[in-house]
Amino acid sequence: KQLVPPDQVVNLLEGVLVRERGLALVSLRKLPVQQFQTGSGSAPKGEGKGAPTGERSIYQHSFEIEIEGSYAELHGYLAHLEKLPWQLFWGRVAMDATKHPRLKLTLTVHTLSMNKVWLVV
């Protein structure tokens, strides 16, 4: 599998949405870019606190999509995303059922790149 290039994430999320009948896009936005942290607690040699951020930095590009639909339609959307040959990292998934049987799903996905700046959505 391959990571989705940051400039293609919006097209990918919307493209899958179009294929799933009954879903409605509420919002889609790009979140601020962050330098990727592995969480291991130790920086690679030469990349401590005082080291300048160089070309070897990895950046996390995050996107949040909100969609409405039935449980089955939302499940279909998520299943379709998982089956794609492109890979996204899943962050947060939240479901709002206050308007049952119409549900609102908020999904945050991430991809990585070596470039800090990409298309602004």
Side-chain angles (χ1 to χ4, degrees), residues 65-85:
I65 185 169
E66 288 184 45
I67 53 178
E68 286 184 346
S70 69
Y71 179 83
E73 293 161 347
L74 294 170
H75 181 270
Y77 180 78
L78 296 176
H80 194 133
L81 282 179
E82 284 187 327
K83 291 178 186 175
L84 293 173

Side-chain angles (χ1 to χ4, degrees), residues 51-119:
T53 55
E55 294 179 34
R56 294 183 175 249
S57 294
I58 299 173
Y59 297 97
Q60 177 177 300
H61 302 266
S62 303
F63 300 81
E64 181 183 85
I65 185 169
E66 288 184 45
I67 53 178
E68 286 184 346
S70 69
Y71 179 83
E73 293 161 347
L74 294 170
H75 181 270
Y77 180 78
L78 296 176
H80 194 133
L81 282 179
E82 284 187 327
K83 291 178 186 175
L84 293 173
W86 296 93
Q87 184 175 351
L88 289 167
F89 296 104
W90 294 53
R92 177 179 169 269
V93 178
M95 178 113 28
D96 179 356
T98 55
K99 295 181 182 178
H100 186 273
R102 290 293 287 178
L103 307 173
K104 186 189 319 182
L105 176 78
T106 303
L107 172 65
T108 303
V109 295
H110 314 284
T111 192
L112 303 174
S113 80
M114 302 293 277
N115 297 318
K116 183 176 182 177
V117 180
W118 283 92
L119 177 70

Side-chain angles (χ1 to χ4, degrees), residues 40-51:
S40 65
S42 62
K45 189 174 183 179
E47 293 185 19
K49 284 185 179 180

Side-chain angles (χ1 to χ4, degrees), residues 6-11 13-14 25 27-31 62-64 118-121:
D7 61 341
Q8 294 298 312
V9 173
V10 170
N11 292 336
L13 294 173
E14 288 178 334
L25 177 64
S27 69
L28 176 56
R29 65 188 183 115
K30 185 179 186 318
L31 303 175
S62 303
F63 300 81
E64 181 183 85
W118 283 92
L119 177 70
V120 177
V121 178

